[in-house]
Structure formats: structure tokens, C-alpha cells
Amino acid sequence: MKNDVWALGVILYELLHGKTPWSCKSEEEIAEKIANVPPVIEVAVCDEVREFILGCLDPEENTRFSLDQLRNCRLVRRLFNNEMDRKSIGGNDSATKMLKKKSSSNK
């Protein structure tokens, strides 16, 4: 499961940046960077997104976010409790409207 959390962090990083968290030419170099160089979030994101990505990309498996920690992190709680700050994450998109509609119909 922790490998899936790692993969989720890499995917989210790549979606935001258009590149991988570490640029390397060999497997040895990537292993060294993962262990010793924290990923740098180079785009403007809210603290919750930063926390989510860095929690997923923790190189230490025992401190990397678990599935329970992901479910309870600030970003997921905001998204799925319909408390999202519409300006900081772009809450006017169709996915947000769909979640809001679904949330309203479940009450």
C-alpha cells in the first residue's frame, strides 16, 4: 500500500509540474536523490496540497502517509467535506460541481 501512496505523490507532482520530482540519469542517482533531496514544490499551491504531496513522497516508508493518514489529511477532509476554498483549488470546475451535487443528494 505504501508503494501506491508513493506513486500517487509522484503522479500529483507530475500533474502540477509537468516533470518528475527528481531529474536523474541513472538508477543510482535517483536512489541517492530520493533518499537525500526532498522534492521541491515549484508551483503555487495551498498548504494542504503541499502537505499531501510531501506526505506521499516521504522516502521513509514508516513515516510516509498511510491510507488512513491520506483519508484524514487536511486536503482530503476539505475536498470531501465540501469545505473547499473555491479560490485556492479552483472550485468552479465540473468535478467540484458534481461532488457538491452528489453531497447534496445524499442528505
Side-chain angles (χ1 to χ4, degrees):
M1 191 60 69
K2 293 280 187 144
N3 290 338
D4 295 335
V5 171
W6 177 269
L8 177 60
V10 171
I11 291 167
L12 290 174
Y13 185 97
E14 289 182 6
L15 284 170
L16 287 172
H17 293 86
K19 63 181 184 176
T20 61
W22 300 274
S23 179
C24 303
K25 295 181 182 189
S26 69
E27 288 183 25
E28 293 81 18
E29 186 181 3
I30 189 85
E32 176 69 26
K33 283 190 176 181
I34 288 171
N36 298 304
V37 180
V40 176
I41 308 294
E42 300 171 353
V43 297
V45 294
C46 62
D47 290 340
E48 289 89 349
V49 171
R50 180 179 309 281
E51 172 190 60
F52 188 91
I53 293 172
L54 295 178
C56 290
L57 293 178
D58 188 329
E60 296 294 326
E61 188 173 339
N62 60 339
T63 55
R64 185 179 312 145
F65 276 176
S66 67
L67 190 54
D68 285 336
Q69 287 171 308
L70 284 177
R71 284 187 192 122
N72 292 305
C73 76
R74 293 184 303 160
L75 177 64
V76 172
R77 286 195 328 257
R78 283 181 69 191
L79 289 172
F80 292 102
N81 288 330
N82 202 23
E83 298 173 1
M84 182 168 46
D85 174 358
R86 308 282 188 236
K87 293 179 183 175
S88 69
I89 303 179
N92 292 321
D93 62 297
S94 59
T96 301
K97 290 176 186 175
M98 181 188 70
L99 284 172
K100 185 175 180 180
K101 184 177 180 180
K102 186 175 182 178
S103 172
S104 297
S105 67
N106 289 337
K107 290 181 179 179

